[in-house]
Amino acid sequence: MRNIPLKEFIKYGYFPKELPPSFSTENFSEKISQLSNFFEPICATKPVLFNIPKSGFRRRTLHLPNPLGYISAVQLITNLNSLPWQNTEIESYACPFHEIENRKLSEDDSPYDPELIQNIKMEDVSFFKARGLCFRLSTDIAQFFSSIYTHSISWAVRGKTTAKESRNDDHWSNKLDKFIRNMQDCETVGIQVGPILSLVVSEIILKKVDKNLTDIFNKKFGNDMWNGSRYVDDFWFYFASRKDAESALSDIAIALSEFNLEINAQKTHIKEAPFEFEPKWKTELSTIIEKIKDSATVSNSDLSYFINSTLFWAKKLQGSAENPLKYAFKAIRELKGENIWDKTKSFVLQSIHIEPNCLDIVSSFLKNNSEHISEEDKNHILKILSKYLRDESKMQHDYEVCWIIQILLDLNLRIDSDTAQKVLDAKRPMMVLSLLILKKHNLIDGEFEISQEIQNILSSKEESPFKNEWWLCAYEIYRNDSLDVISAIFLPEPPQLFQKLKEKNISFLAI
């Protein structure tokens, strides 16, 4: 393992990967060295919130931290000679400092993406690794990121007694604790979800849990009579008997409670071998995918079989954690051609309604096939997306609205001003910023006044818009170069860091 350089920390680990490509930290990362010696006194800030769909009706809130706190926290981490990782027999597959070897990354891949690491290495978390141990205990932590107590960073690094006695000293773990709190309006419970920094914090804590469990299990069961792996807060353990697995579950609960964390009882299971290696739907779809992955040779019958199988499993598993539609789209998003589009267009538009968290991949597929989409089809797509945009804006669904706007940008489709107003009425920072991008590209029909409404939103908050959840929108308006449609919006004097960002011509938009 190695520390992540500051530049890569900003490029790959600042904004959540679920954002559309209109938002980017690459420009910031290229110039971060010019700001490395420029810091202001740490102050309380709020992150931009961005909610995304999960299975069923559940949603998750991701965070875009304010650079006023984030830069300080990241530089603290990157300046450490090493982090307190301890070698244990519980291997973490989500550690953000894993190096991915012998792997060709695509242009959009982050070498620190935990899901990418999971896809490469999680085959090790199998019965083969269990060395013949026939009972598998799987569990995770309830409300993990929102339950982390920021002071527990020091507990994991220095021990709870020492950490409590030395809470106000200059140790780096106390500084990190303070930076994390200031990034979330001084809250001590919960850490932000999305940035790699949160993975670093979670690994500092859970690596200590891993070490404690390794010592307990080696003493209780013997080195060869158990095995364990972890992906973020998901644990898999293998034991020789059900009795050992049940005993270990109690030890895990105690080890987590030392850091004010709890086991998720609903996701805790003990199963006896044999174990399936992957769900049936994935085996079936992966077999078909092998036949259709080449645009030049794919047959209509194979494509039809693939679509029908995908929709069958999507309907059967709707509301569960399984996601065959997303899996299918990842497999075919590079396919393009007139025949491909004609055969898949109905499937694509159905999928948006069935599984909204496919929108990022649907967007990529539509962009790849844009030259094959007829004007008639574009009009049909616009009609569907406009209704979807109005509905999702009413529910304040950030992910859906922002990705629909990304599709409109990619296909050069214009919405009417009434639909645009519905987006603005939601008063969500990322939705408003996406709308501004759409307006800049002249993709809103009719007269659409936006400046006064944004002024009203920004003026209604007690804190400076540069320090609350509107910081990104406020900064890009302050820059005014990329969003030249904005005029007559009064902003208070920004903090010096934002002035410096503007001076260096740094933007968080890739438009």
Side-chain angles (χ1 to χ4, degrees), residues 213-227:
L213 289 175
T214 295
D215 293 343
I216 292 169
F217 292 168
N218 281 344
K219 185 176 180 180
K220 180 182 281 190
F221 307 118
N223 296 32
D224 296 328
M225 299 307 290
W226 74 280
N227 190 272

Side-chain angles (χ1 to χ4, degrees), residues 289-317:
I289 286 166
E290 284 301 310
K291 296 182 178 182
I292 65 167
K293 61 184 180 182
D294 186 349
S295 300
T297 59
V298 60
S299 68
N300 286 344
S301 58
D302 285 339
L303 206 52
S304 295
Y305 182 40
F306 169 74
I307 291 171
N308 289 335
S309 297
T310 300
L311 291 175
F312 168 80
W313 285 112
K315 186 175 181 180
K316 187 178 180 68
L317 298 171

